[in-house]
């Protein structure tokens, strides 16, 4: 597998251990730029903005932070930051744009945030998803707990005053599952309605829907509308029979790509702790392969700009695998063990967002890598690149060689790039044709004027040195 290196990065100072889901990218202050929110097990949350290495905003005493989500949980058209602790303490923050106009940027003058809403939820939350799960145009908060329970909530406003945020999260559904919940994602059905995907132990998953409708004993004229969960469907996946049934799994749905030559946005990626990555369509495993690292996080991003979303899986030791939907892969070795990983968009400079990889370490630092776009996943040879260059093909017609003869082409490209071998240059030192020798022994001319007319002429005169017929 090909290895890649990323060198453009920012290093943020953040003390404390970070839970794997207590890290999030999003527009926390509604200024159309993307920020990084992160929390630790001591109850501290920090929001980093731009290329500043210290937090712009901080909050404290939030409990043992397990999950951070950024999104429009109030369904008011603006984002809030939701922080949920292992004890069940849910704190919701609003960051206003006007704060940035007077925001001090000194490290000892950080802005301290206070939540506008605090609510007790069931304890032991480990993963959260903010999405429209019932296709009603409003976002719901889906929580996965360590005791195999999945719950959904919706924000309900108490006051009708637009400046009054009085309200609370109201529970909608509760589902008890047989196995440990790995992660939660959404995936569209054939008619566009969303399915909730829940990763289960052993590389399996279940899916179900939240359907909006009237109860049998309700009168539609009273506008009493509720939502019900469909019967969960278990997908064992054929390859899961060969693995440890207790191994933890991660799932990611709604991958944009193509299937059988047609556009598709319902592909699913599954990763397991024993190092298996799979691309799935329903019950069908399109492909899978094994790596020798323990994968604990999976994300998606278009790394080549071709419109297809690629799978990014990270291991505890920092090894990161990037796989496209054709099973072509590259890897990046981060130098430390990591406690949390995510990828997405981040605004390194105001007004623009770029793809990034983010690693939270055990050494009180958070590393953000940007400039991570790849030219391609497969390796292309020099011959393939030259064949795609129309100018090179046209200039090759001026050489007395067969373009289909790879050996002749190799000799020609070697000469144009590096010049004569040392023994041939020494042999030509006594040659009377000084002009020709000067052309061939000038390395800078050879590097930057590969197809200069003088070189073309000299190559014909001295074709025997190139091994050309």
């Amino acid at each position: 597998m090909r290895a890649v290196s990323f060198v453009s990065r920012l290093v943020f100072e953040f003390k404390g251990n970070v839970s794997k889901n207590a890290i999030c990218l999003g527009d926390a202050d509604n200024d159309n730029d993307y920020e990084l929110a992160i929390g630790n097990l001591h109850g501290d949350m920090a929001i980093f903005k731009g290329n500043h290495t210290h937090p712009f905003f901080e909050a404290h005493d939030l409990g043992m932070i397990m999950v951070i989500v950024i999104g429009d949980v109030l369904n008011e058209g603006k984002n809030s930051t939701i922080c949920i602790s292992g004890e069940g303490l849910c704190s919701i923050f609003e960051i206003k744009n006007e704060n940035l106009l007077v925001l001090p940027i000194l490290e000892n003058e950080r802005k301290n945030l206070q939540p506008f809403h605090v609510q007790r939820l069931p304890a032991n939350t480990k993963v959260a998803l903010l999405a429209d799960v019932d296709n009603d145009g409003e976002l719901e908060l889906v929580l996965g707990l360590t005791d195999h329970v999945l719950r959904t909530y919706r924000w309900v406003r108490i006051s009708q005053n637009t400046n009054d945020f009085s309200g609370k999260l109201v529970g909608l559904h509760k589902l008890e599952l047989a196995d440990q919940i790995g992660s939660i994602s959404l995936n569209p059905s054939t008619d566009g309605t969303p399915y909730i995907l829940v990763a289960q132990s052993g590389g399996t998953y279940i899916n179900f829907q939240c359907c909006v409708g009237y109860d049998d004993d309700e009168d539609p004229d009273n506008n009493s509308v509720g939502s019900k969960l469909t019967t969960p469907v278990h997908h064992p996946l054929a390859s899961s029979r060969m693995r440890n049934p207790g191994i933890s799994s991660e799932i990611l749905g709604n991958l944009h790509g193509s299937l059988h030559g047609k556009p598709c946005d319902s592909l699913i990626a599954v990763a397991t702790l024993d190092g298996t990555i799979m691309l799935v369509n329903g019950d069908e495993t399109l492909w899978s392969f094994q790596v020798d690292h323990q994968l604990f996080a999976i994300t998606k991003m278009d790394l080549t700009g071709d419109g297809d979303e690629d799978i990014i899986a990270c291991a505890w030791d920092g090894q990161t695998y990037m796989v496209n939907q054709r099973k072509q892969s590259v890897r990046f070795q981060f130098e430390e063990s990591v406690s949390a990983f995510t990828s997405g968009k981040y605004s390194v400079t105001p007004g623009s967002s770029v793809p990034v990889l983010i690693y939270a370490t055990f050494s009180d630092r958070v590393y953000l890598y940007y400039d991570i776009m790849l030219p391609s996943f497969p390796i292309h040879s020099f011959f393939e690149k030259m064949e795609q260059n129309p100018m090179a093909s046209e200039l090759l017609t001026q050489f007395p060689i067969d373009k289909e003869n790879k050996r002749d082409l190799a000799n020609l490209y070697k000469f144009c790039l590096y010049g004569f071998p040392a023994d041939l240059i020494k042999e030509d030192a006594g040659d009377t044709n000084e002009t020709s020798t000067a052309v061939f022994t000038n390395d800078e001319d050879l590097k930057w004027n590969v197809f200069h007319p003088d070189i073309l002429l000299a190559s014909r005169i001295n074709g025997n040195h190139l091994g050309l017929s």
Side-chain angles (χ1 to χ4, degrees), residues 314-369:
C314 183
W316 289 114
D317 62 355
Q319 188 79 242
T320 307
Y321 297 92
M322 288 153 273
V323 191
N324 66 10
Q325 297 181 20
R326 292 175 293 278
K327 203 180 176 181
Q328 298 166 335
S329 60
V330 299
R331 59 182 174 88
F332 168 65
Q333 177 62 65
F334 180 66
E335 63 264 24
E336 295 186 42
S337 296
V338 298
S339 60
F341 168 82
T342 190
S343 70
K345 296 283 189 177
Y346 181 81
S347 299
V348 178
T349 57
S352 64
S353 300
V354 296
V356 296
L357 303 176
I358 299 179
Y359 301 85
T361 69
F362 294 96
S363 57
D364 298 336
R365 288 185 177 86
V366 180
Y367 294 83
L368 182 149
Y369 286 86

Side-chain angles (χ1 to χ4, degrees), residues 195-317:
Y195 275 95
I196 299 178
L197 306 177
V198 183
Q200 295 280 267
S201 301
T204 65
Y205 75 95
I206 66 169
N207 68 350
F208 58 91
Q209 285 184 300
C210 295
C211 298
V212 177
Y214 297 92
D215 291 335
D216 295 337
D217 56 350
E218 289 179 339
D219 183 4
D221 295 333
N222 294 330
N223 296 323
S224 178
V225 181
S227 62
K228 298 181 178 180
L229 298 180
T230 61
T231 302
V233 178
H234 184 256
H235 299 266
L237 302 180
S239 59
S240 67
R241 305 187 191 116
M242 300 180 292
R243 292 197 300 272
N244 180 359
I247 203 74
S248 63
S249 307
E250 302 291 321
I251 194 167
L252 188 64
N254 196 23
L255 262 72
H256 299 285
S258 59
L259 181 65
H260 307 309
K262 297 180 180 180
C264 179
D265 59 358
S266 60
L267 297 176
I268 302 170
V270 178
T272 64
L273 189 62
D274 63 357
T276 300
I277 303 175
M278 294 182 288
L279 184 66
V280 177
N281 179 37
D283 282 318
E284 178 187 4
T285 302
L286 302 178
W287 53 255
S288 68
F289 72 93
Q290 190 84 16
V291 299
D292 54 355
H293 294 267
Q294 295 180 332
L295 304 176
F296 78 99
I298 184 171
T299 60
K300 62 180 180 179
M301 191 167 19
D302 181 6
L303 292 170
T304 58
D306 61 355
D308 292 346
E309 290 182 317
D310 308 305
I311 303 167
I312 305 175
C314 183
W316 289 114
D317 62 355

Side-chain angles (χ1 to χ4, degrees), residues 409-464:
L409 281 177
N411 287 332
L412 175 62
Y413 293 149
K414 183 178 180 181
F415 162 71
C416 292
L417 291 172
Y418 307 111
F420 279 127
D423 56 343
L424 293 180
I425 294 176
K426 183 177 180 181
E427 192 176 297
D428 287 345
D431 200 341
T432 57
N433 191 348
E434 297 179 359
T435 302
S436 175
T437 304
V439 170
F440 286 113
T441 57
N442 189 334
D443 288 342
E444 284 301 315
D445 288 343
L446 289 172
K447 289 179 181 177
W448 300 105
N449 300 288
V450 171
F451 292 110
H452 192 278
D454 291 342
I455 297 180
L456 296 179
L457 177 61
S459 65
R460 293 194 183 99
I461 297 173
N462 300 278
N464 59 319

Side-chain angles (χ1 to χ4, degrees), residues 41-77:
L41 299 181
H42 303 295
D44 304 318
M45 183 183 73
I47 297 179
F48 294 91
K49 188 176 180 66
N51 57 5
H52 298 276
T53 58
H54 58 272
F56 260 41
F57 306 100
E58 284 186 343
H60 306 281
D61 301 324
L62 301 177
M64 189 171 61
I65 300 175
M66 302 302 296
V67 173
I68 294 179
V69 181
I70 297 175
D72 185 16
V73 67
L74 305 183
N75 293 298
E76 298 285 349

Side-chain angles (χ1 to χ4, degrees), residues 27-35 49 79 97 347 350-353:
D27 184 7
D29 54 13
N30 297 286
D31 64 346
N32 296 322
D33 285 338
Y34 285 81
E35 291 81 37
K49 188 176 180 66
N79 290 340
N97 279 335
S347 299
S352 64
S353 300

